[in-house]
Amino acid sequence: MGGRAKLNTNEAAVEYVPKSLTSALEFDRIFSRFGPVEIDLGCGDGTFLSAMARENPEHNFLGIERLLGRVRGVCRKVARLDLKNARVLRMESSYAVTNLLPARSVTAFHLLFPDPWPKRRHHHRRAFTHEFLFSIHRALSAGGLFHVATDHADYFSQIERVIAATDIFAISREQNDFPSTSFEQKYVAARGLPVHRLLLRKVSPLK
């Protein structure tokens, strides 16, 4: 991947660069250990990812981010905090979920403040679709968690419609004190905007 030379050795080691763009990821190789895997889709600057990794040392955390500058930032942050259970993959999240994740291999997904593409002509670019939800379901282990948050009311309504059209997830009412993302800290909380959040539990196989 371009730009890795600008990171020191410890920082560059945080990024996982797959040898193949079609073969399934092997999490025991990525983290050099076995453990429950949680994935932060579109991990941004790694604020949420690193906080979760620090608070849950028994879990492995993979951030997926397509922008090189953000990946570099995550590498630096994870290395600075010396988090051995956090790695980052530079890739489009939807491609990774659909093509690279083994079935029933992930304990939890986090999709936090995805780009809402607010203009109607751009709605087709939104990440949360029926196909995306089915791919998430396939990759989740039994009873796995899908954590979704957005500050965009219209997008949240679309998310609810997509979920309601399936019977493969149940909305969980459990309380989770998740750390906030940098976007949430800088823009959402600062403007007093409400956060629309859902916790979904995988409840049934696809027919």
Side-chain angles (χ1 to χ4, degrees):
M1 298 292 176
R4 288 174 59 82
K6 297 187 177 182
L7 300 174
N8 66 38
T9 301
N10 290 339
E11 293 167 345
V14 175
E15 182 183 357
Y16 176 71
V17 182
K19 294 181 180 179
S20 169
L21 295 180
T22 57
S23 299
L25 298 179
E26 298 179 74
F27 292 122
D28 58 322
R29 291 181 177 271
I30 294 175
F31 295 99
S32 299
R33 69 174 193 172
F34 291 97
V37 175
E38 300 194 34
I39 295 183
D40 185 4
L41 299 167
C43 63
D45 67 358
T47 296
F48 177 85
L49 179 77
S50 58
M52 288 289 286
R54 187 170 54 239
E55 294 172 9
N56 303 275
E58 71 283 3
H59 283 211
N60 296 322
F61 291 86
L62 178 65
I64 301 179
E65 175 58 56
R66 67 180 180 85
L67 298 179
L68 176 59
R70 291 179 180 177
V71 169
R72 289 176 181 165
V74 176
C75 289
R76 294 189 178 102
K77 183 170 295 185
V78 169
R80 184 175 69 251
L81 295 172
D82 194 28
L83 297 170
K84 305 302 184 185
N85 61 332
R87 301 291 298 276
V88 61
L89 172 67
R90 186 185 172 206
M91 192 169 291
E92 185 70 44
S93 291
S94 58
Y95 179 86
V97 171
T98 302
N99 297 287
L100 300 185
L101 301 183
R104 300 176 297 280
S105 64
V106 178
T107 298
F109 283 99
H110 305 275
L111 179 65
L112 308 178
F113 305 98
D115 193 330
W117 293 104
K119 295 182 179 180
R120 183 173 295 277
R121 68 177 181 273
H122 294 155
H123 283 189
H124 67 281
R125 299 182 182 179
R126 289 175 171 176
F128 206 105
T129 64
H130 289 91
E131 293 75 17
F132 179 73
L133 188 61
F134 293 150
S135 294
I136 290 286
H137 180 276
R138 182 192 61 81
L140 277 174
S141 57
L145 176 71
F146 186 19
H147 169 210
V148 183
T150 179
D151 61 314
H152 196 276
D154 177 69
Y155 195 3
F156 188 67
S157 295
Q158 176 185 323
I159 290 170
E160 290 185 307
R161 290 193 298 272
V162 171
I163 295 166
T166 75
D167 60 355
I168 58 177
F169 285 95
I171 295 176
S172 173
R173 303 301 179 186
E174 64 194 86
Q175 297 297 312
N176 283 276
D177 187 21
F178 290 115
S180 57
T181 67
S182 59
F183 176 83
E184 187 174 359
Q185 295 170 12
K186 294 177 181 178
Y187 300 104
V188 180
R191 298 175 183 176
L193 300 173
V195 174
H196 308 282
R197 193 181 304 271
L198 277 176
L199 294 176
L200 305 174
R201 285 285 182 189
K202 178 176 176 175
V203 295
S204 66
L206 287 173
K207 304 300 184 182

